Amino acid sequence: MPEVHEDIKEVLISADEIQDKISDLAKQISEEYRDKDLLLVGVLKGAFVFMADLARQVELPIEFDFMAVSSYGTATKTSGVVRILKDLDYEITNRHVLLVEDIIDSGLTISYLLRYLQARGPASLEICSLFWKKGEQAVPLEVKFPGFEIPPVFVVGYGLDYAEKYRNLPYIGVVKDEAYRAEGT
Ligand code: IMP
Ligand code: MG
């Protein structure tokens, strides 16, 4: 068992649990999109770790694209105002698009992206999010491929950051209060 990072007070979901869930999700996705051509759209930066692991378990030919967005807000809460930092490289008209997100909290970021992409006329548009703070959504949201439901706490690891740190942890966990304080000074 590798050591837990010194700034982490509690591991919420282990690396093994995450990998098991990804196998499940990849199976569902391979079924759903059999005989269709699938475009995975990752939401940067957070989703890059999940997308890489997920895609390698999906047994279909896949193409990839990425969007980068930044949500205005505090360090740990988004305001719902989303800025597109990088748009898609390719057209999605008549294509089957699966949006790959790391985590859904208020749901405002993903709702914005859904509206933005829907306007381009994809053949289908669905969401796969590894983590989901269910019950926190400001607007109803249909997540076709949900991973873990987690409590409404701020987590880091597996692509998720606090002030750009901890994205490379293979598990997700909660940061110690001291680590937040050190950052704020
Ligand atoms: P939402 O718009 O409130 O659903 O927030 C979505 C975005 O906020 C995610 O794509 C993450 O980048 C970030 N976020 C939400 N919750 C967390 C968390 O617990 N840890 C790290 N980032 C988070
Ligand atoms: Mg994100």
Side-chain angles (χ1 to χ4, degrees):
M1 181 85 181
E3 268 179 49
V4 172
H5 191 291
E6 59 179 3
D7 292 353
I8 299 297
K9 72 174 167 199
E10 186 197 352
V11 173
L12 230 59
I13 302 177
S14 72
D16 285 348
E17 290 174 297
I18 291 175
Q19 294 305 324
D20 285 352
K21 182 67 81 178
I22 290 175
S23 299
D24 281 2
L25 290 168
K27 279 202 193 81
Q28 293 172 42
I29 291 166
S30 304
E31 271 303 304
E32 180 71 24
Y33 294 95
R34 199 163 300 287
D35 305 322
K36 290 178 182 148
D37 98 273
L38 174 61
L39 179 69
L40 288 189
V41 172
V43 185
L44 296 174
K45 301 176 195 163
F48 81 102
V49 178
F50 174 40
M51 180 122 151
D53 282 350
L54 179 71
R56 283 177 291 176
Q57 299 226 29
V58 174
E59 295 177 343
L60 298 173
I62 318 177
E63 291 177 26
F64 298 87
D65 208 340
F66 292 93
M67 291 191 70
V69 299
S70 104
S71 345
Y72 293 100
T74 64
T76 59
K77 275 286 164 194
T78 145
S79 66
V81 181
V82 175
R83 192 158 52 110
I84 308 273
L85 303 177
K86 184 212 166 292
D87 207 328
L88 295 176
D89 290 335
Y90 305 106
E91 295 293 328
I92 56 165
T93 312
N94 298 324
R95 302 206 60 184
H96 293 282
V97 177
L98 182 59
L99 256 180
V100 178
E101 241 305 22
D102 46 6
I103 190 164
I104 297 172
D105 181 9
S106 69
L108 292 168
T109 306
I110 201 88
S111 300
Y112 178 88
L113 287 176
L114 278 180
R115 280 198 307 278
Y116 187 80
L117 296 178
Q118 195 66 60
R120 300 186 187 173
S124 68
L125 179 60
E126 301 291 352
I127 302 168
C128 178
S129 181
L130 185 56
F131 306 108
W132 191 27
K133 296 179 188 170
K134 202 183 174 189
E136 294 301 296
Q137 283 80 65
V139 283
L141 196 61
E142 203 198 310
V143 182
K144 181 142 185 156
F145 305 101
F148 299 94
E149 206 178 292
I150 63 165
V153 291
F154 193 80
V155 292
V156 298
Y158 204 76
L160 296 165
D161 72 307
Y162 172 70
E164 295 299 331
K165 291 190 292 190
Y166 313 117
R167 292 192 198 272
N168 58 326
L169 302 180
Y171 48 82
I172 61 160
V174 180
V175 174
K176 287 178 186 165
D177 298 343
E178 305 91 89
Y180 286 120
R181 272 207 296 278
E183 190 59 39
T185 53

PDB file of all heavy atoms in Angstrom, residues 43-44 46 69 71 75-80 82 101-110 133 137 150 153-156 160-162 167, ligand 1:
ATOM      1  N   VAL A  43     -13.271  17.448 -20.154  1.00  0.00           N
ATOM      2  CA  VAL A  43     -13.293  18.815 -19.638  1.00  0.00           C
ATOM      3  C   VAL A  43     -12.013  19.026 -18.823  1.00  0.00           C
ATOM      4  O   VAL A  43     -11.832  18.440 -17.759  1.00  0.00           O
ATOM      5  CB  VAL A  43     -14.553  19.076 -18.785  1.00  0.00           C
ATOM      6  CG1 VAL A  43     -14.605  20.541 -18.372  1.00  0.00           C
ATOM      7  CG2 VAL A  43     -15.815  18.700 -19.556  1.00  0.00           C
ATOM      8  N   LEU A  44     -11.124  19.844 -19.371  1.00  0.00           N
ATOM      9  CA  LEU A  44      -9.826  20.110 -18.730  1.00  0.00           C
ATOM     10  C   LEU A  44      -9.963  21.108 -17.587  1.00  0.00           C
ATOM     11  O   LEU A  44     -10.879  21.914 -17.611  1.00  0.00           O
ATOM     12  CB  LEU A  44      -8.846  20.672 -19.767  1.00  0.00           C
ATOM     13  CG  LEU A  44      -8.508  19.704 -20.908  1.00  0.00           C
ATOM     14  CD1 LEU A  44      -7.649  20.399 -21.963  1.00  0.00           C
ATOM     15  CD2 LEU A  44      -7.807  18.467 -20.383  1.00  0.00           C
ATOM     16  N   GLY A  46      -9.320  18.964 -14.978  1.00  0.00           N
ATOM     17  CA  GLY A  46      -9.576  17.891 -14.021  1.00  0.00           C
ATOM     18  C   GLY A  46      -9.792  16.511 -14.607  1.00  0.00           C
ATOM     19  O   GLY A  46      -9.423  15.506 -14.002  1.00  0.00           O
ATOM     20  N   VAL A  69     -12.336  24.919 -19.525  1.00  0.00           N
ATOM     21  CA  VAL A  69     -13.217  25.958 -19.016  1.00  0.00           C
ATOM     22  C   VAL A  69     -12.703  26.431 -17.672  1.00  0.00           C
ATOM     23  O   VAL A  69     -11.973  25.713 -16.998  1.00  0.00           O
ATOM     24  CB  VAL A  69     -14.674  25.445 -18.830  1.00  0.00           C
ATOM     25  CG1 VAL A  69     -15.250  25.001 -20.147  1.00  0.00           C
ATOM     26  CG2 VAL A  69     -14.760  24.339 -17.799  1.00  0.00           C
ATOM     27  N   SER A  71     -14.403  28.262 -14.219  1.00  0.00           N
ATOM     28  CA  SER A  71     -15.605  28.818 -13.605  1.00  0.00           C
ATOM     29  C   SER A  71     -15.170  29.873 -12.611  1.00  0.00           C
ATOM     30  O   SER A  71     -14.248  29.662 -11.837  1.00  0.00           O
ATOM     31  CB  SER A  71     -16.411  27.745 -12.887  1.00  0.00           C
ATOM     32  OG  SER A  71     -16.020  26.472 -13.261  1.00  0.00           O
ATOM     33  N   ALA A  75     -12.250  29.605  -4.215  1.00  0.00           N
ATOM     34  CA  ALA A  75     -11.343  28.477  -4.451  1.00  0.00           C
ATOM     35  C   ALA A  75     -12.085  27.145  -4.450  1.00  0.00           C
ATOM     36  O   ALA A  75     -11.673  26.206  -5.112  1.00  0.00           O
ATOM     37  CB  ALA A  75     -10.242  28.473  -3.399  1.00  0.00           C
ATOM     38  N   THR A  76     -13.175  27.051  -3.701  1.00  0.00           N
ATOM     39  CA  THR A  76     -13.824  25.746  -3.583  1.00  0.00           C
ATOM     40  C   THR A  76     -15.286  25.735  -4.042  1.00  0.00           C
ATOM     41  O   THR A  76     -15.946  24.707  -3.955  1.00  0.00           O
ATOM     42  CB  THR A  76     -13.778  25.228  -2.119  1.00  0.00           C
ATOM     43  OG1 THR A  76     -14.441  26.161  -1.275  1.00  0.00           O
ATOM     44  CG2 THR A  76     -12.355  25.037  -1.641  1.00  0.00           C
ATOM     45  N   LYS A  77     -15.809  26.844  -4.527  1.00  0.00           N
ATOM     46  CA  LYS A  77     -17.206  26.882  -5.001  1.00  0.00           C
ATOM     47  C   LYS A  77     -17.297  27.651  -6.308  1.00  0.00           C
ATOM     48  O   LYS A  77     -16.746  28.741  -6.425  1.00  0.00           O
ATOM     49  CB  LYS A  77     -18.123  27.568  -3.972  1.00  0.00           C
ATOM     50  CG  LYS A  77     -18.635  26.633  -2.894  1.00  0.00           C
ATOM     51  CD  LYS A  77     -19.727  25.697  -3.426  1.00  0.00           C
ATOM     52  CE  LYS A  77     -19.943  24.526  -2.462  1.00  0.00           C
ATOM     53  NZ  LYS A  77     -20.717  23.427  -3.052  1.00  0.00           N
ATOM     54  N   THR A  78     -18.015  27.095  -7.283  1.00  0.00           N
ATOM     55  CA  THR A  78     -18.161  27.830  -8.535  1.00  0.00           C
ATOM     56  C   THR A  78     -19.398  28.723  -8.500  1.00  0.00           C
ATOM     57  O   THR A  78     -20.345  28.469  -7.764  1.00  0.00           O
ATOM     58  CB  THR A  78     -18.206  26.873  -9.770  1.00  0.00           C
ATOM     59  OG1 THR A  78     -19.084  27.417 -10.745  1.00  0.00           O
ATOM     60  CG2 THR A  78     -18.678  25.508  -9.398  1.00  0.00           C
ATOM     61  N   SER A  79     -19.348  29.789  -9.294  1.00  0.00           N
ATOM     62  CA  SER A  79     -20.460  30.739  -9.315  1.00  0.00           C
ATOM     63  C   SER A  79     -21.445  30.411 -10.434  1.00  0.00           C
ATOM     64  O   SER A  79     -22.532  30.962 -10.491  1.00  0.00           O
ATOM     65  CB  SER A  79     -19.916  32.150  -9.555  1.00  0.00           C
ATOM     66  OG  SER A  79     -19.360  32.217 -10.861  1.00  0.00           O
ATOM     67  N   GLY A  80     -21.039  29.543 -11.363  1.00  0.00           N
ATOM     68  CA  GLY A  80     -21.915  29.222 -12.480  1.00  0.00           C
ATOM     69  C   GLY A  80     -21.600  30.022 -13.731  1.00  0.00           C
ATOM     70  O   GLY A  80     -22.086  29.740 -14.805  1.00  0.00           O
ATOM     71  N   VAL A  82     -19.249  30.592 -16.543  1.00  0.00           N
ATOM     72  CA  VAL A  82     -18.201  29.757 -17.110  1.00  0.00           C
ATOM     73  C   VAL A  82     -17.526  30.487 -18.258  1.00  0.00           C
ATOM     74  O   VAL A  82     -18.183  31.093 -19.088  1.00  0.00           O
ATOM     75  CB  VAL A  82     -18.812  28.425 -17.610  1.00  0.00           C
ATOM     76  CG1 VAL A  82     -17.774  27.572 -18.312  1.00  0.00           C
ATOM     77  CG2 VAL A  82     -19.429  27.662 -16.444  1.00  0.00           C
ATOM     78  N   GLU A 101     -16.398  14.233 -17.389  1.00  0.00           N
ATOM     79  CA  GLU A 101     -16.119  15.199 -16.316  1.00  0.00           C
ATOM     80  C   GLU A 101     -15.520  14.466 -15.122  1.00  0.00           C
ATOM     81  O   GLU A 101     -15.783  13.289 -14.907  1.00  0.00           O
ATOM     82  CB  GLU A 101     -17.431  15.855 -15.881  1.00  0.00           C
ATOM     83  CG  GLU A 101     -17.546  17.360 -16.059  1.00  0.00           C
ATOM     84  CD  GLU A 101     -16.481  18.251 -15.441  1.00  0.00           C
ATOM     85  OE1 GLU A 101     -15.345  17.801 -15.173  1.00  0.00           O
ATOM     86  OE2 GLU A 101     -16.791  19.417 -15.228  1.00  0.00           O
ATOM     87  N   ASP A 102     -14.719  15.189 -14.363  1.00  0.00           N
ATOM     88  CA  ASP A 102     -14.185  14.609 -13.139  1.00  0.00           C
ATOM     89  C   ASP A 102     -15.247  14.586 -12.043  1.00  0.00           C
ATOM     90  O   ASP A 102     -15.515  13.562 -11.428  1.00  0.00           O
ATOM     91  CB  ASP A 102     -12.938  15.378 -12.672  1.00  0.00           C
ATOM     92  CG  ASP A 102     -13.112  16.901 -12.703  1.00  0.00           C
ATOM     93  OD1 ASP A 102     -14.227  17.384 -12.983  1.00  0.00           O
ATOM     94  OD2 ASP A 102     -12.119  17.604 -12.450  1.00  0.00           O
ATOM     95  N   ILE A 103     -15.879  15.739 -11.823  1.00  0.00           N
ATOM     96  CA  ILE A 103     -16.791  15.840 -10.679  1.00  0.00           C
ATOM     97  C   ILE A 103     -17.907  16.834 -10.975  1.00  0.00           C
ATOM     98  O   ILE A 103     -17.675  17.847 -11.635  1.00  0.00           O
ATOM     99  CB  ILE A 103     -16.004  16.240  -9.403  1.00  0.00           C
ATOM    100  CG1 ILE A 103     -16.876  16.124  -8.151  1.00  0.00           C
ATOM    101  CG2 ILE A 103     -15.407  17.629  -9.519  1.00  0.00           C
ATOM    102  CD1 ILE A 103     -16.074  16.125  -6.859  1.00  0.00           C
ATOM    103  N   ILE A 104     -19.092  16.521 -10.498  1.00  0.00           N
ATOM    104  CA  ILE A 104     -20.212  17.450 -10.596  1.00  0.00           C
ATOM    105  C   ILE A 104     -20.593  17.865  -9.181  1.00  0.00           C
ATOM    106  O   ILE A 104     -20.858  17.014  -8.328  1.00  0.00           O
ATOM    107  CB  ILE A 104     -21.421  16.810 -11.311  1.00  0.00           C
ATOM    108  CG1 ILE A 104     -21.039  16.469 -12.758  1.00  0.00           C
ATOM    109  CG2 ILE A 104     -22.625  17.748 -11.276  1.00  0.00           C
ATOM    110  CD1 ILE A 104     -22.088  15.673 -13.498  1.00  0.00           C
ATOM    111  N   ASP A 105     -20.576  19.164  -8.961  1.00  0.00           N
ATOM    112  CA  ASP A 105     -20.946  19.695  -7.647  1.00  0.00           C
ATOM    113  C   ASP A 105     -22.292  20.405  -7.811  1.00  0.00           C
ATOM    114  O   ASP A 105     -23.345  19.774  -7.739  1.00  0.00           O
ATOM    115  CB  ASP A 105     -19.835  20.620  -7.157  1.00  0.00           C
ATOM    116  CG  ASP A 105     -20.104  21.215  -5.790  1.00  0.00           C
ATOM    117  OD1 ASP A 105     -21.072  20.791  -5.140  1.00  0.00           O
ATOM    118  OD2 ASP A 105     -19.348  22.110  -5.352  1.00  0.00           O
ATOM    119  N   SER A 106     -22.279  21.696  -8.086  1.00  0.00           N
ATOM    120  CA  SER A 106     -23.559  22.397  -8.305  1.00  0.00           C
ATOM    121  C   SER A 106     -24.179  21.975  -9.637  1.00  0.00           C
ATOM    122  O   SER A 106     -25.384  22.123  -9.848  1.00  0.00           O
ATOM    123  CB  SER A 106     -23.338  23.912  -8.320  1.00  0.00           C
ATOM    124  OG  SER A 106     -22.615  24.288  -9.471  1.00  0.00           O
ATOM    125  N   GLY A 107     -23.359  21.469 -10.553  1.00  0.00           N
ATOM    126  CA  GLY A 107     -23.857  21.090 -11.878  1.00  0.00           C
ATOM    127  C   GLY A 107     -23.886  22.252 -12.859  1.00  0.00           C
ATOM    128  O   GLY A 107     -24.240  22.086 -14.022  1.00  0.00           O
ATOM    129  N   LEU A 108     -23.487  23.432 -12.394  1.00  0.00           N
ATOM    130  CA  LEU A 108     -23.581  24.624 -13.249  1.00  0.00           C
ATOM    131  C   LEU A 108     -22.614  24.558 -14.432  1.00  0.00           C
ATOM    132  O   LEU A 108     -22.961  24.919 -15.553  1.00  0.00           O
ATOM    133  CB  LEU A 108     -23.328  25.883 -12.406  1.00  0.00           C
ATOM    134  CG  LEU A 108     -24.416  26.188 -11.366  1.00  0.00           C
ATOM    135  CD1 LEU A 108     -23.961  27.258 -10.386  1.00  0.00           C
ATOM    136  CD2 LEU A 108     -25.710  26.608 -12.055  1.00  0.00           C
ATOM    137  N   THR A 109     -21.403  24.062 -14.185  1.00  0.00           N
ATOM    138  CA  THR A 109     -20.413  23.983 -15.266  1.00  0.00           C
ATOM    139  C   THR A 109     -20.891  23.037 -16.365  1.00  0.00           C
ATOM    140  O   THR A 109     -20.908  23.383 -17.548  1.00  0.00           O
ATOM    141  CB  THR A 109     -19.050  23.495 -14.709  1.00  0.00           C
ATOM    142  OG1 THR A 109     -18.676  24.338 -13.621  1.00  0.00           O
ATOM    143  CG2 THR A 109     -17.982  23.509 -15.774  1.00  0.00           C
ATOM    144  N   ILE A 110     -21.315  21.857 -15.968  1.00  0.00           N
ATOM    145  CA  ILE A 110     -21.719  20.862 -16.963  1.00  0.00           C
ATOM    146  C   ILE A 110     -23.019  21.268 -17.664  1.00  0.00           C
ATOM    147  O   ILE A 110     -23.186  21.026 -18.856  1.00  0.00           O
ATOM    148  CB  ILE A 110     -21.792  19.447 -16.320  1.00  0.00           C
ATOM    149  CG1 ILE A 110     -21.692  18.359 -17.392  1.00  0.00           C
ATOM    150  CG2 ILE A 110     -23.020  19.222 -15.497  1.00  0.00           C
ATOM    151  CD1 ILE A 110     -20.298  17.963 -17.720  1.00  0.00           C
ATOM    152  N   LYS A 133     -21.567  14.933  -6.479  1.00  0.00           N
ATOM    153  CA  LYS A 133     -22.101  15.320  -5.163  1.00  0.00           C
ATOM    154  C   LYS A 133     -23.604  15.440  -5.323  1.00  0.00           C
ATOM    155  O   LYS A 133     -24.147  16.540  -5.483  1.00  0.00           O
ATOM    156  CB  LYS A 133     -21.473  16.642  -4.707  1.00  0.00           C
ATOM    157  CG  LYS A 133     -19.970  16.540  -4.493  1.00  0.00           C
ATOM    158  CD  LYS A 133     -19.377  17.871  -4.059  1.00  0.00           C
ATOM    159  CE  LYS A 133     -17.860  17.807  -4.046  1.00  0.00           C
ATOM    160  NZ  LYS A 133     -17.245  19.144  -3.865  1.00  0.00           N
ATOM    161  N   GLN A 137     -26.990  19.763  -6.704  1.00  0.00           N
ATOM    162  CA  GLN A 137     -27.253  20.400  -7.998  1.00  0.00           C
ATOM    163  C   GLN A 137     -28.323  21.475  -7.914  1.00  0.00           C
ATOM    164  O   GLN A 137     -29.408  21.250  -7.383  1.00  0.00           O
ATOM    165  CB  GLN A 137     -27.670  19.358  -9.058  1.00  0.00           C
ATOM    166  CG  GLN A 137     -26.494  18.575  -9.601  1.00  0.00           C
ATOM    167  CD  GLN A 137     -26.075  17.464  -8.661  1.00  0.00           C
ATOM    168  OE1 GLN A 137     -26.820  16.525  -8.437  1.00  0.00           O
ATOM    169  NE2 GLN A 137     -24.891  17.580  -8.084  1.00  0.00           N
ATOM    170  N   ILE A 150     -20.600  11.069  -3.844  1.00  0.00           N
ATOM    171  CA  ILE A 150     -19.796  11.398  -2.657  1.00  0.00           C
ATOM    172  C   ILE A 150     -20.479  12.497  -1.847  1.00  0.00           C
ATOM    173  O   ILE A 150     -21.300  13.235  -2.372  1.00  0.00           O
ATOM    174  CB  ILE A 150     -18.349  11.831  -3.029  1.00  0.00           C
ATOM    175  CG1 ILE A 150     -18.350  13.124  -3.862  1.00  0.00           C
ATOM    176  CG2 ILE A 150     -17.596  10.727  -3.756  1.00  0.00           C
ATOM    177  CD1 ILE A 150     -16.983  13.783  -3.956  1.00  0.00           C
ATOM    178  N   VAL A 153     -18.302  17.396   0.314  1.00  0.00           N
ATOM    179  CA  VAL A 153     -17.062  17.928   0.885  1.00  0.00           C
ATOM    180  C   VAL A 153     -16.092  18.185  -0.263  1.00  0.00           C
ATOM    181  O   VAL A 153     -16.221  17.579  -1.320  1.00  0.00           O
ATOM    182  CB  VAL A 153     -16.399  16.938   1.879  1.00  0.00           C
ATOM    183  CG1 VAL A 153     -17.231  16.810   3.137  1.00  0.00           C
ATOM    184  CG2 VAL A 153     -16.181  15.575   1.233  1.00  0.00           C
ATOM    185  N   PHE A 154     -15.131  19.066  -0.028  1.00  0.00           N
ATOM    186  CA  PHE A 154     -14.164  19.375  -1.072  1.00  0.00           C
ATOM    187  C   PHE A 154     -13.080  18.297  -1.073  1.00  0.00           C
ATOM    188  O   PHE A 154     -12.464  18.020  -0.061  1.00  0.00           O
ATOM    189  CB  PHE A 154     -13.544  20.754  -0.849  1.00  0.00           C
ATOM    190  CG  PHE A 154     -12.777  21.234  -2.046  1.00  0.00           C
ATOM    191  CD1 PHE A 154     -13.445  21.793  -3.126  1.00  0.00           C
ATOM    192  CD2 PHE A 154     -11.392  21.088  -2.110  1.00  0.00           C
ATOM    193  CE1 PHE A 154     -12.746  22.215  -4.251  1.00  0.00           C
ATOM    194  CE2 PHE A 154     -10.682  21.509  -3.231  1.00  0.00           C
ATOM    195  CZ  PHE A 154     -11.363  22.070  -4.307  1.00  0.00           C
ATOM    196  N   VAL A 155     -12.881  17.672  -2.218  1.00  0.00           N
ATOM    197  CA  VAL A 155     -11.922  16.570  -2.322  1.00  0.00           C
ATOM    198  C   VAL A 155     -10.834  16.894  -3.345  1.00  0.00           C
ATOM    199  O   VAL A 155     -11.040  17.700  -4.248  1.00  0.00           O
ATOM    200  CB  VAL A 155     -12.616  15.249  -2.711  1.00  0.00           C
ATOM    201  CG1 VAL A 155     -13.516  14.757  -1.584  1.00  0.00           C
ATOM    202  CG2 VAL A 155     -13.414  15.392  -4.009  1.00  0.00           C
ATOM    203  N   VAL A 156      -9.699  16.230  -3.187  1.00  0.00           N
ATOM    204  CA  VAL A 156      -8.606  16.379  -4.162  1.00  0.00           C
ATOM    205  C   VAL A 156      -8.097  14.997  -4.559  1.00  0.00           C
ATOM    206  O   VAL A 156      -8.362  13.997  -3.896  1.00  0.00           O
ATOM    207  CB  VAL A 156      -7.421  17.201  -3.590  1.00  0.00           C
ATOM    208  CG1 VAL A 156      -7.845  18.614  -3.243  1.00  0.00           C
ATOM    209  CG2 VAL A 156      -6.790  16.494  -2.394  1.00  0.00           C
ATOM    210  N   LEU A 160      -8.367  16.005  -9.543  1.00  0.00           N
ATOM    211  CA  LEU A 160      -8.945  17.154  -8.833  1.00  0.00           C
ATOM    212  C   LEU A 160      -7.882  17.879  -8.020  1.00  0.00           C
ATOM    213  O   LEU A 160      -7.061  17.255  -7.359  1.00  0.00           O
ATOM    214  CB  LEU A 160     -10.051  16.682  -7.884  1.00  0.00           C
ATOM    215  CG  LEU A 160     -11.259  16.060  -8.575  1.00  0.00           C
ATOM    216  CD1 LEU A 160     -12.105  15.300  -7.568  1.00  0.00           C
ATOM    217  CD2 LEU A 160     -12.075  17.154  -9.245  1.00  0.00           C
ATOM    218  N   ASP A 161      -7.957  19.199  -8.055  1.00  0.00           N
ATOM    219  CA  ASP A 161      -6.916  19.974  -7.393  1.00  0.00           C
ATOM    220  C   ASP A 161      -7.459  20.882  -6.303  1.00  0.00           C
ATOM    221  O   ASP A 161      -8.648  21.190  -6.260  1.00  0.00           O
ATOM    222  CB  ASP A 161      -6.226  20.875  -8.421  1.00  0.00           C
ATOM    223  CG  ASP A 161      -7.136  22.042  -8.858  1.00  0.00           C
ATOM    224  OD1 ASP A 161      -8.273  21.774  -9.268  1.00  0.00           O
ATOM    225  OD2 ASP A 161      -6.693  23.211  -8.765  1.00  0.00           O
ATOM    226  N   TYR A 162      -6.535  21.315  -5.465  1.00  0.00           N
ATOM    227  CA  TYR A 162      -6.755  22.525  -4.679  1.00  0.00           C
ATOM    228  C   TYR A 162      -5.573  23.423  -5.023  1.00  0.00           C
ATOM    229  O   TYR A 162      -4.416  23.014  -4.829  1.00  0.00           O
ATOM    230  CB  TYR A 162      -6.801  22.236  -3.171  1.00  0.00           C
ATOM    231  CG  TYR A 162      -6.831  23.517  -2.365  1.00  0.00           C
ATOM    232  CD1 TYR A 162      -7.959  24.320  -2.371  1.00  0.00           C
ATOM    233  CD2 TYR A 162      -5.708  23.940  -1.661  1.00  0.00           C
ATOM    234  CE1 TYR A 162      -7.974  25.519  -1.686  1.00  0.00           C
ATOM    235  CE2 TYR A 162      -5.713  25.143  -0.971  1.00  0.00           C
ATOM    236  CZ  TYR A 162      -6.859  25.923  -0.990  1.00  0.00           C
ATOM    237  OH  TYR A 162      -6.869  27.125  -0.322  1.00  0.00           O
ATOM    238  N   ARG A 167      -3.350  16.852  -8.051  1.00  0.00           N
ATOM    239  CA  ARG A 167      -4.043  16.176  -9.158  1.00  0.00           C
ATOM    240  C   ARG A 167      -3.509  14.771  -9.418  1.00  0.00           C
ATOM    241  O   ARG A 167      -4.206  13.929  -9.971  1.00  0.00           O
ATOM    242  CB  ARG A 167      -3.899  16.985 -10.454  1.00  0.00           C
ATOM    243  CG  ARG A 167      -4.638  18.316 -10.469  1.00  0.00           C
ATOM    244  CD  ARG A 167      -4.653  18.868 -11.891  1.00  0.00           C
ATOM    245  NE  ARG A 167      -4.960  20.288 -11.980  1.00  0.00           N
ATOM    246  CZ  ARG A 167      -6.197  20.785 -12.061  1.00  0.00           C
ATOM    247  NH1 ARG A 167      -7.233  19.992 -12.057  1.00  0.00           N
ATOM    248  NH2 ARG A 167      -6.390  22.094 -12.142  1.00  0.00           N
TER     249      ARG A 167
HETATM  250  P1  IMP B   1     -19.934  22.673 -10.491  1.00  0.00           P
HETATM  251  O1  IMP B   1     -20.076  23.658 -11.622  1.00  0.00           O
HETATM  252  O2  IMP B   1     -20.318  23.258  -9.163  1.00  0.00           O
HETATM  253  O3  IMP B   1     -20.624  21.356 -10.769  1.00  0.00           O
HETATM  254  O4  IMP B   1     -18.391  22.407 -10.320  1.00  0.00           O
HETATM  255  C1  IMP B   1     -17.713  21.703 -11.255  1.00  0.00           C
HETATM  256  C2  IMP B   1     -16.224  21.986 -11.261  1.00  0.00           C
HETATM  257  O5  IMP B   1     -15.747  22.519 -10.003  1.00  0.00           O
HETATM  258  C3  IMP B   1     -15.501  20.673 -11.444  1.00  0.00           C
HETATM  259  O6  IMP B   1     -15.276  20.436 -12.823  1.00  0.00           O
HETATM  260  C4  IMP B   1     -14.230  20.868 -10.676  1.00  0.00           C
HETATM  261  O7  IMP B   1     -13.267  21.471 -11.506  1.00  0.00           O
HETATM  262  C5  IMP B   1     -14.596  21.808  -9.571  1.00  0.00           C
HETATM  263  N1  IMP B   1     -14.930  21.087  -8.315  1.00  0.00           N
HETATM  264  C6  IMP B   1     -16.154  20.844  -7.799  1.00  0.00           C
HETATM  265  N2  IMP B   1     -16.070  20.158  -6.649  1.00  0.00           N
HETATM  266  C7  IMP B   1     -14.744  19.949  -6.451  1.00  0.00           C
HETATM  267  C8  IMP B   1     -13.996  19.273  -5.406  1.00  0.00           C
HETATM  268  O8  IMP B   1     -14.522  18.713  -4.435  1.00  0.00           O
HETATM  269  N3  IMP B   1     -12.647  19.270  -5.556  1.00  0.00           N
HETATM  270  C9  IMP B   1     -12.000  19.854  -6.608  1.00  0.00           C
HETATM  271  N4  IMP B   1     -12.656  20.491  -7.598  1.00  0.00           N
HETATM  272  C10 IMP B   1     -14.018  20.533  -7.522  1.00  0.00           C
END
